[in-house]
Amino acid sequence: MDDLREKYLTLISAAADEAALEELRVQAVGKKGEISLHMRSLGKMSPEERQVAGPALNALKDEVNSALNARKSAMADAALEERLKSEWLDVTLPGRQRPAGTIHPISQVWEEVTAIFSDMGFSVAEGPQIETDWYNFDALNMPGHHPARAEMDTFYTHRAEGDDRPPHVLRTHTSPVQIRSMEKMGAPMRIICPGRVYRADYDQTHTPMFHQVEGLALDTGISMANLKWCLEEFVKAFFEVDDVELRFRASHFPFTEPSAEVDIRCSWADGQLKVGEGDDWLEILGSGMVHPKVLAAGGIDAAKYQGFAFGMGIDRIAMLKYGIPDLRAFFDSDLRWLRHYGFAALDKPGLVSGLSR
């Protein structure tokens, strides 16, 4: 026993690598190893001999296994030490920065608009993006010959042969939400309807899909004066100016009467937009008093209630506030351009003093 112990402990301590250690393990305690063969011979011994040899062989096996594991750990430590000597790491350097996400301008302006109108008592209403021809056009007093109903301007959904359901379209505005809300909630009400809308158009200021927010207020005694105040408060809050002058220009929309385009006073000095000062005017939205036929389509008694409505492009006012010149940049550009306009992770920049025209 002593000879075996000294033999293998000496060989283990002198092993040069893990391959040599594995070979020694097989020679000593493998199935056909020297110590394993001695243990198999216990069955041929007398009970008295087994009582002495058995514990000694088990102790020898445990000692050899412990020596193998200790030598293997020592080799691993030595290899790590050599690797640390050959590799250099400065633990005082700052950690690598991970790319941070950003709030998209459209999402941010959507939230800004919602917050401003919420402070004025407006709730948010939503509706389907695929609408019936009736909700999208007829209920809004848009006649069959209106240009917006042409297939070159509006996306109509495909109908299989024999499908005689009414036409469906990708909504061209969020106005259908107003009709659905009137049917569901009745009057009085104050809502805004933000959402995606679709039109067959694509250039620097138009895309096939864009975002719009419309407002509707219904009650007894509502007038254009209420509309003017509401929009003035919104413009001052959104563009972060103390005062702003609005100009209402007579216009025509099928769903309002009277109707007006709304301009804001501004200046373009040195190609920079400044809201609330100067001698220039910039159109930002359409508005008017809700047409009696639209009220009737929504189930509202036009003899008792009246109201105002307005609509604006979220993308357009985002471009104006943050100086983004091309609407298409919102959808098909490398989003690293966001940082150029001051949009960083969870950052909400205010109105910058210089906005590119």
Side-chain angles (χ1 to χ4, degrees):
M1 296 287 185
D2 292 337
D3 292 340
L4 283 175
R5 177 183 292 103
E6 186 166 346
K7 170 185 173 181
Y8 283 109
L9 293 182
T10 301
L11 290 174
I12 289 170
S13 63
D17 52 38
E18 289 193 16
L21 273 182
E22 178 62 17
E23 186 176 343
L24 286 172
R25 186 193 70 78
V26 173
Q27 290 177 9
V29 295
K31 286 185 178 181
K32 296 182 180 180
E34 201 168 353
I35 296 175
S36 298
L37 291 176
H38 277 287
M39 296 189 75
R40 289 180 187 176
S41 66
L42 289 173
K44 300 178 181 179
M45 297 180 184
S46 65
E48 294 77 11
E49 292 174 327
R50 282 198 303 274
Q51 193 172 3
V52 175
L57 284 171
N58 280 323
L60 175 60
K61 181 179 179 181
D62 291 342
E63 188 174 356
V64 169
N65 280 327
S66 296
L68 287 168
N69 292 331
R71 181 59 178 161
K72 187 174 182 179
S73 296
M75 287 181 177
D77 292 341
L80 178 60
E81 188 69 25
E82 288 300 316
R83 181 181 172 189
L84 291 174
K85 290 179 180 178
S86 62
E87 296 180 359
W88 181 81
L89 176 66
D90 186 352
V91 295
T92 66
L93 288 174
R96 294 186 178 93
Q97 289 187 348
R98 294 186 177 184
T102 60
I103 297 176
H104 196 281
I106 297 300
S107 299
Q108 178 166 306
V109 170
W110 188 316
E111 292 176 2
E112 291 174 357
V113 170
T114 300
I116 293 169
F117 282 112
S118 293
D119 287 342
M120 289 190 278
F122 286 78
S123 60
V124 176
E126 297 179 336
Q129 296 180 47
I130 299 178
E131 269 294 6
T132 66
D133 202 42
W134 189 85
Y135 278 108
N136 197 78
F137 296 124
D138 294 323
L140 294 163
N141 196 35
M142 300 178 72
H145 61 270
H146 195 281
R149 303 183 77 146
E151 291 189 357
M152 66 179 63
D153 288 336
T154 298
F155 296 105
Y156 283 82
T157 59
H158 175 71
R159 280 282 183 263
E161 187 176 352
D163 188 343
D164 57 357
R165 288 180 296 166
H168 280 65
V169 300
L170 298 184
R171 66 183 182 189
T172 59
H173 42 193
T174 56
S175 301
V177 181
Q178 298 184 22
I179 302 297
R180 291 182 177 273
S181 298
M182 283 189 271
E183 290 178 337
K184 182 178 179 180
M185 301 165 57
M189 72 158 64
R190 272 185 287 182
I191 60 168
I192 59 169
C193 315
R196 296 181 181 88
V197 296
Y198 306 85
R199 297 179 189 176
D201 210 348
Y202 185 73
D203 58 31
Q204 186 176 358
T205 57
H206 300 86
T207 53
M209 186 279 289
F210 58 102
H211 303 81
Q212 193 176 65
V213 58
E214 299 191 12
L216 172 67
L218 298 178
D219 210 331
T220 57
I222 284 184
S223 68
M224 287 286 288
N226 302 116
L227 170 63
K228 184 174 184 292
W229 175 86
C230 179
L231 295 179
E232 284 178 346
E233 292 300 306
F234 167 75
V235 170
K236 287 189 289 185
F238 180 74
F239 288 105
E240 300 177 40
V241 293
D242 295 329
D243 194 20
V244 66
E245 185 178 351
L246 299 188
R247 181 175 68 179
F248 284 69
R249 288 182 292 107
S251 184
H252 170 72
F253 303 114
F255 25 81
T256 52
E257 184 60 37
S259 303
E261 301 274 6
V262 179
D263 305 333
I264 54 173
R265 183 179 288 279
C266 64
S267 71
W268 288 108
D270 300 321
Q272 306 299 313
L273 171 65
K274 293 184 178 180
V275 175
E277 61 181 65
D279 298 321
D280 291 328
W281 295 91
L282 177 67
E283 184 270 319
I284 58 168
L285 59 91
S287 65
M289 301 300 292
V290 182
H291 197 289
K293 289 186 177 180
V294 175
L295 293 174
I300 303 298
D301 183 359
K304 180 179 180 182
Y305 293 101
Q306 58 188 18
F308 64 75
F310 57 84
M312 69 189 86
I314 293 177
D315 316 70
R316 174 168 170 73
I317 60 175
M319 292 170 67
L320 294 175
K321 182 170 183 176
Y322 296 110
I324 300 168
D326 194 322
L327 179 62
R328 293 169 293 188
F330 286 130
F331 309 106
D332 59 8
S333 294
D334 186 329
L335 292 185
R336 285 176 294 186
W337 63 269
L338 286 173
R339 294 193 179 277
H340 174 74
Y341 293 103
F343 286 83
L346 303 179
D347 182 34
K348 291 196 173 184
L351 178 66
V352 294
S353 58
L355 301 179
S356 302
R357 186 173 188 177

